[in-house]
Amino acid sequence: MDRIRIRGGRRLEGEIAVSGSKNAALPLMAAALLTEETLVLGNLPHLNDITTLANLLVQHGVEIHMNGHAAKGGHAGRVLEMTAARIVSSKAPYDLVRKMRASVLVLGPLLARVGQAEVSLPGGCAIGARPVDLHLKALEAMGAEIELADGYILARAPEGLHGAKVVFPTVSVGATENLMMAASLAKGRTTLVNAAREPEIVDLADCLTAMGAQIEGAGSDSITIEGVERLRGAEHWVVPDRIETGTYAMAAAITDGVIDLVHARADHLEAVIAVLGAAGVSIEETNRGLRVKRANGALRAVEVTTQPYPGFPTDLQAQMTALMSTAEGASTITETIFENRFMHVPELSRMGAEVTVDGNSAIIRGPCDLQGAPVMATDLRASVSLVLAGLAAEGETILNRVYHLDRGYERLEEKLAACGADIERIGD
Ligand code: UD1
């Protein structure tokens, strides 16, 4: 199994091209199930999660062609042509779904298109219970009959789905996406109240609209979808990954370097830019993206609470914990989205970070001198926080279980090495 070796202590300087967003790409790919025409998606990142979903879609009957690398507006990235002329199976089997929780995004589209779906209950990152009850209750409100049996969600809508007013008790990105897709082909109007507002939701709405859907309010907490009889093919380019952007911004800050993040979008990162600014990191817009460096010397401690968008993203919490271990003073980082999302803390502590977890808060006392160590990744964002710590640490860090990283970061070691990091992938 691959590992990553980092010899820390180098300032990073150079540029990194931000890839297309993984979390935007996954629901967009699932949207291919909604039409018998071809959906072309560009600027897709080359990641294991994308391959996992592609494999799932293929077994539902979607024909997928890859156009290699194509460029549009300066965005490199993969282009996939997906055609779901006929759905040959409405079952999403355990073997594929267990690899990635976002596989549950096929539920809404399958139900809307063929009136039935059998989807294994998802597994995914080990960051808390992560149920799918919100998806299921909302689909029931639209007329679906749902049963859970033998680890599967069995959903049927023999009469088709109808519009409904859905009030989400908790903001859920995945449930909002599943419902937007299902409602696009339902009879009548659906209103989603307390909807997620993430840029990935807006990207999905833009693509569905290009496919002929009638959606208003995406990006606000109330989305209205007027169902249409059928959707058509379209061509859509995926937004840049704001989590990858934030991660590399922190790589610049933790190594006291200067990185140009090409294609990065400041408007998707306002909360992160504000927090990093308070910590002493300067993020400037350039005509190609963002330039990140320390404002003047040392980093300062900050208080951060994760929130649904437009708040500080939970997917950057572990990276922020690593960064704050090198800042002067005591930082508090509070996690409000997922339970059990401090699994990077014991590993960071082994590298010399002083972090105490108290309920859903981590208190980080800095600055500490990080020391390289063999460490083990437990989930996607936890593993990249250990990479950040390794870049700043003295000596060698070996990161095990790299497959977590490969789910969400495209060519991470190449991108960092191009900025001068001493980092390489090694076999056993
Ligand atoms: C998405 C992102 C993930 C990110 C998360 C929060 C993708 C592929 N993944 O995950 O990277 O960390 O948003 O920004 O886009 N919940 C329920 N019942 C449900 C659904 C969710 O209780 O049916 C809870 C979850 O346990 C969690 C909270 O709601 O506490 C938010 O989860 P949600 O927004 O649904 O996350 P995902 O869409 O799975």
Side-chain angles (χ1 to χ4, degrees):
M1 205 181 287
D2 283 358
R3 292 173 297 166
I4 283 184
R5 176 167 57 208
I6 304 165
R7 295 190 183 95
R10 294 201 179 189
R11 289 184 77 216
L12 299 191
E13 272 185 48
E15 64 177 51
I16 291 179
V18 175
S19 299
S21 160
K22 165 180 90 75
N23 285 354
L26 295 170
L28 288 166
M29 288 170 70
L33 291 166
L34 291 166
T35 173
E36 70 277 11
E37 293 184 16
T38 302
L39 176 64
V40 180
L41 293 179
N43 198 33
L44 286 170
H46 181 37
L47 295 170
N48 286 354
D49 274 9
I50 301 293
T51 312
T52 301
L53 187 58
N55 289 338
L56 182 60
L57 294 176
V58 164
Q59 69 82 50
H60 289 311
V62 183
E63 257 189 51
I64 302 190
H65 295 288
M66 196 170 73
N67 263 340
H69 287 70
K72 183 180 169 185
H75 284 229
R78 300 213 159 184
V79 179
L80 284 189
E81 285 178 6
M82 292 174 287
T83 314
R86 217 165 58 83
I87 305 292
V88 299
S89 161
S90 56
K91 180 169 178 168
Y94 172 72
D95 264 0
L96 287 169
V97 176
R98 76 185 165 86
K99 293 188 183 164
M100 187 183 61
R101 190 188 146 73
S103 309
V104 77
L105 290 170
V106 300
L107 178 61
L110 285 173
L111 204 49
R113 171 92 184 266
V114 293
Q116 60 175 43
E118 195 177 332
V119 178
S120 170
L121 283 161
C125 280
I127 52 172
R130 302 190 79 173
V132 288
D133 55 321
L134 300 176
H135 303 237
L136 304 187
K137 281 197 191 106
L139 289 169
E140 276 176 341
M142 296 184 67
E145 295 161 12
I146 296 184
E147 266 179 77
L148 297 182
D150 307 325
Y152 276 80
I153 302 161
L154 310 177
R156 281 165 32 87
E159 310 295 316
L161 294 170
H162 56 73
K165 178 172 176 182
V166 173
V167 182
F168 290 115
T170 309
V171 177
S172 164
V173 177
T176 303
E177 291 165 346
N178 236 335
L179 268 287
M180 272 165 66
M181 291 189 278
S184 293
L185 282 183
K187 280 190 207 94
R189 172 182 299 188
T190 299
T191 310
L192 306 177
V193 180
N194 200 23
R197 298 155 64 181
E198 270 68 1
E200 294 76 29
I201 302 284
V202 177
D203 208 31
L204 177 62
D206 287 348
C207 179
L208 291 171
T209 303
M211 293 167 74
Q214 292 186 16
I215 302 177
E216 271 177 30
S220 79
D221 60 4
S222 176
I223 303 178
T224 306
I225 304 120
E226 202 71 60
V228 294
E229 194 94 335
R230 58 182 297 276
L231 293 172
R232 55 179 182 265
E235 191 177 303
H236 179 84
W237 254 243
V238 179
V239 285
D241 195 313
R242 64 196 167 95
I243 305 301
E244 191 195 24
T245 306
T247 302
Y248 291 132
M250 293 188 210
I254 205 167
T255 63
D256 196 7
V258 188
I259 301 184
D260 280 307
L261 296 165
V262 181
H263 314 313
R265 281 182 60 167
D267 58 330
H268 290 170
L269 279 159
E270 282 176 7
V272 176
I273 291 172
V275 165
L276 288 178
V281 182
S282 137
I283 303 188
E284 264 172 47
E285 280 196 78
T286 65
N287 53 9
R288 298 166 68 217
L290 297 173
R291 173 166 303 158
V292 187
K293 59 179 194 271
R294 288 195 191 175
N296 43 22
L299 297 173
R300 295 182 295 274
V302 289
E303 297 215 346
V304 186
T305 301
T306 63
Q307 297 284 357
Y309 192 85
F312 189 94
T314 174
D315 285 352
L316 285 172
Q317 180 262 105
Q319 298 90 314
M320 195 65 196
T321 309
L323 182 65
M324 286 300 96
S325 70
T326 67
E328 274 173 17
S331 302
T332 308
I333 300 189
T334 304
E335 171 61 53
T336 69
I337 309 292
F338 292 113
E339 57 198 85
N340 204 12
R341 209 175 196 186
F342 284 124
M343 285 181 304
H344 45 290
V345 168
E347 296 300 285
L348 287 173
S349 300
R350 292 181 54 248
M351 296 179 73
E354 273 191 48
V355 189
T356 326
V357 175
D358 181 10
N360 64 348
S361 292
I363 295 128
I364 306 133
R365 291 191 177 76
C368 68
D369 291 322
L370 292 169
Q371 302 292 325
V375 287
M376 198 169 73
T378 46
D379 69 55
L380 172 54
R381 309 302 171 184
S383 46
V384 86
S385 76
L386 301 172
V387 171
L388 293 184
L391 292 171
E394 195 185 309
E396 186 174 278
T397 296
I398 304 274
L399 178 71
N400 294 288
R401 301 201 181 166
V402 169
Y403 57 86
H404 288 296
L405 268 186
D406 293 336
R407 288 189 46 202
Y409 288 89
E410 181 174 15
R411 296 179 293 105
L412 168 118
E413 66 278 15
E414 275 177 48
K415 290 188 181 189
L416 288 171
C419 293
D422 186 346
I423 180 168
E424 62 179 336
R425 186 177 287 254
I426 49 178
D428 270 335

